[in-house]
Amino acid sequence: MKIILATAYDINPYKGSESATGWNFVLQIARFNNVIAITRTNNKDEIERFIKEFDIDVSNIEFAYYDLPCYLRFWKKGGRGSSIYFYLWQMFMPFFIVKKRLIFDIAHNVNFHADAFPTFLWVFRKPVVWGPINHHEKIPKEYLYPKKDFLKDRIKWYIKKIFWNLDPFILISIWKTELILGGNSSVKKRLNLKSSKFRIFSQIASNNANNSKNHKLNEFNIIVAARFIPLKGIDIALYAFDVFYKQLSVEGKKNVKLSVLGKGPLEQELKLIKNGLLSKDRIEFIGWIPKDEMDSFYQNSNIFLFPSHEGAGMVVAEALSHGLPIICFDNYGPGELVNEHCAIKIPYTKYDQSITDFSNALLKIYVDNKLSTQMSKAAREFFEEKYTWESKGIVLEKIYKTIFEKNHK
């Protein structure tokens, strides 16, 4: 049995997104291999509590907890400085591995997912898998709300470009890594990768949901779940729902609802938008929902509306697991996570045109029960094929097996 050294900066089995990816990737790797999982020390209590609470079999997993010494991390406070800290955490990782005398066959740098930060596991001259790595493409100017965020978005974008093109450790990582897993095709484009070194392998996945959905719900429920920041495009969801709502009959208007799940710095601005809409009484801001309570919202919804500009979107997998048709932008992020059978993908054009296109997509599914049923079935099938954690584990094992055999001929 192979030994995989998996470095996962963020592991918390009680959370979703990045934390869930770290935890579930380690579990899936351990289905077929022995794993040495290196993560931050502040993850230890939650990992051990979860293992005990749910009696998780970790016989194939050795957790190793590592952080920089206090004099190299005193300045880090919560999320502040996390990117710089992660870079240093990676850079000094080899010293920790040597100190612990860890022996392995393949090294896998699992997360953070940001492709502007290199891996340093190549120093051991063992095969290295890097990723899934990812990034957010720049948001088209027409879609930035509020407009003051345009400058902030572009500054972030040009910082990433500087790292991609000028950081020598990024270039060495590309050269020395056996295989780079990218969350979408833009990773290959931005890092200028050869096809032989690159494979699309999204970090998103979800647990297998109970798909006993009753499509004859009392209301036609549309759900959007995201942090309230410009990247997520919640303003487009609000305006599109309002245009859709205006096209309905009096009875139809009573039958539809938009549930907005999340919080964030744009909350007040978004609520002001809502209060100026004709459909305001059919829009509900619900706030953050604990991960274990999200299933009921998915189960009682008909469509997942996701006008996000991001490079991934864990909630897409969750919605697909519940058989929800997706409406999203046709972009490098959500647009590459779905197909035409389970989703309607909206092209980037102009802001007002996109609102019209999203509203038309809502209306199309609303009026056509047959289409809604077909898309729901296709969503579930696509999830089972692509986005269960078990399917991710099988793909990873095939990757490791190929790499191992190649390096032991």
Side-chain angles (χ1 to χ4, degrees):
M1 187 176 280
K2 301 179 293 298
I3 301 175
I4 310 298
L5 181 125
T7 63
Y9 180 84
D10 189 5
I11 295 180
N12 189 326
Y14 290 101
K15 294 183 178 180
S17 195
E18 188 107 31
S19 303
T21 300
W23 171 254
N24 283 289
F25 266 55
V26 169
L27 289 189
Q28 291 304 318
I29 296 168
R31 288 171 60 195
F32 309 98
N33 306 277
N34 289 320
V35 184
I36 302 170
I38 303 177
T39 189
R40 290 197 61 201
T41 305
N42 65 351
N43 296 321
K44 182 177 181 180
D45 290 345
E46 296 288 77
I47 290 171
E48 293 182 348
R49 180 163 69 92
F50 191 88
I51 290 170
K52 184 177 180 180
E53 181 178 350
F54 295 98
D55 193 24
I56 305 296
D57 180 9
V58 292
S59 56
N60 285 357
I61 306 173
E62 174 189 347
F63 284 99
Y65 299 97
Y66 151 69
D67 267 313
L68 297 178
C70 291
Y71 63 84
L72 286 177
R73 59 183 167 93
F74 69 91
W75 44 268
K76 184 184 181 301
K77 302 293 182 183
R80 190 188 73 187
S82 60
S83 294
I84 297 173
Y85 183 81
F86 173 67
Y87 197 114
L88 295 174
W89 190 81
Q90 294 267 75
M91 181 179 286
F92 288 93
M93 173 78 69
F95 297 101
F96 174 79
I97 293 170
V98 170
K99 180 181 178 181
K100 291 289 185 179
R101 298 182 179 180
L102 302 177
I103 306 298
F104 56 93
D105 300 301
I106 296 171
H108 186 169
N109 186 332
V110 175
N111 71 359
F112 258 24
H113 299 305
D115 56 10
F117 300 98
T119 179
F120 293 86
L121 297 176
W122 44 265
V123 301
F124 295 102
R125 298 184 179 181
K126 295 286 184 78
V128 176
V129 178
W130 182 20
I133 55 174
N134 210 341
H135 65 266
H136 306 312
E137 288 283 296
K138 61 183 177 181
I139 304 172
K141 182 178 180 181
E142 296 85 353
Y143 298 91
L144 278 166
Y145 176 85
K147 294 299 183 182
K148 63 180 175 62
D149 287 302
F150 172 77
L151 182 60
K152 186 185 297 184
D153 180 73
R154 291 307 185 262
I155 290 172
K156 289 181 179 179
W157 176 252
Y158 287 111
I159 288 173
K160 283 187 280 193
K161 290 192 74 172
I162 290 170
F163 276 93
W164 290 332
N165 294 289
L166 297 179
D167 184 344
F169 292 118
I170 290 279
L171 301 177
I172 294 173
S173 296
I174 294 170
W175 174 37
K176 294 285 190 179
T177 299
E178 186 87 19
L179 182 65
I180 298 171
L181 305 177
N184 61 55
S185 62
S186 67
V187 175
K188 180 182 179 183
K189 176 181 177 181
R190 300 304 176 188
L191 294 182
N192 195 26
L193 302 175
K194 295 179 180 179
S195 296
S196 60
K197 279 223 169 190
F198 178 75
R199 175 171 181 162
I200 291 180
F201 185 81
S202 172
Q203 66 266 37
I204 79 160
S206 181
N207 293 320
N208 208 341
N210 175 15
N211 193 40
S212 57
K213 178 183 291 295
N214 177 10
H215 291 279
K216 295 181 180 179
L217 301 171
N218 293 329
E219 293 180 313
F220 188 86
N221 296 313
I222 300 160
I223 186 174
V224 56
R227 190 164 173 246
F228 298 163
I229 55 176
L231 182 72
K232 303 294 185 175
I234 305 295
D235 50 304
I236 291 177
L238 295 172
Y239 286 127
F241 177 78
D242 192 61
V243 174
F244 159 71
Y245 174 86
K246 291 174 181 176
Q247 300 177 71
L248 304 179
S249 65
V250 173
E251 286 302 313
K253 287 181 171 67
K254 298 176 182 177
N255 189 50
V256 298
K257 180 181 178 182
L258 175 66
S259 296
V260 184
L261 280 61
K263 279 190 174 295
L266 289 182
E267 183 168 355
Q268 293 307 313
E269 289 92 334
L270 294 172
K271 286 182 175 179
L272 282 174
I273 292 175
K274 171 205 163 179
N275 291 335
L277 300 176
L278 184 66
S279 58
K280 63 182 180 181
D281 292 336
R282 304 305 300 164
I283 300 173
E284 183 179 7
F285 278 74
I286 295 174
W288 280 122
I289 300 299
K291 186 171 176 282
D292 57 357
E293 295 178 17
M294 276 296 296
D295 282 356
S296 63
F297 282 90
Y298 288 124
Q299 284 288 342
N300 291 295
S301 299
N302 300 80
I303 295 176
F304 189 73
L305 184 59
F306 197 58
S308 176
H309 311 285
E310 66 190 277
M314 192 67 75
V315 286
V316 172
E318 294 174 1
L320 290 173
S321 75
H322 289 273
L324 287 182
I326 309 291
I327 304 176
C328 64
F329 276 117
D330 188 6
N331 55 17
Y332 281 119
E336 288 193 351
L337 300 176
V338 294
N339 63 22
E340 67 278 9
H341 303 296
C342 65
I344 297 177
K345 297 190 275 188
I346 306 301
Y348 281 126
T349 51
K350 297 293 184 181
Y351 188 84
D352 290 343
Q353 183 59 51
S354 292
I355 290 170
T356 300
D357 291 342
F358 271 96
S359 67
N360 288 341
L362 288 171
L363 187 63
K364 183 177 182 179
I365 298 174
Y366 175 77
V367 301
D368 192 336
N369 289 331
K370 183 178 179 181
L371 174 64
S372 177
T373 301
Q374 289 173 344
M375 291 184 71
S376 179
K377 181 181 178 183
R380 179 64 191 182
E381 290 173 350
F382 197 58
F383 165 77
E384 291 176 349
E385 177 188 350
K386 295 279 188 180
Y387 298 125
T388 65
W389 286 117
E390 289 74 18
S391 67
K392 297 284 184 186
I394 291 170
V395 174
L396 280 176
E397 175 54 17
K398 290 178 180 178
I399 288 171
Y400 296 146
K401 184 177 180 181
T402 300
I403 290 173
F404 186 80
E405 290 176 350
K406 176 183 174 182
N407 286 271
H408 288 80
K409 285 184 178 179

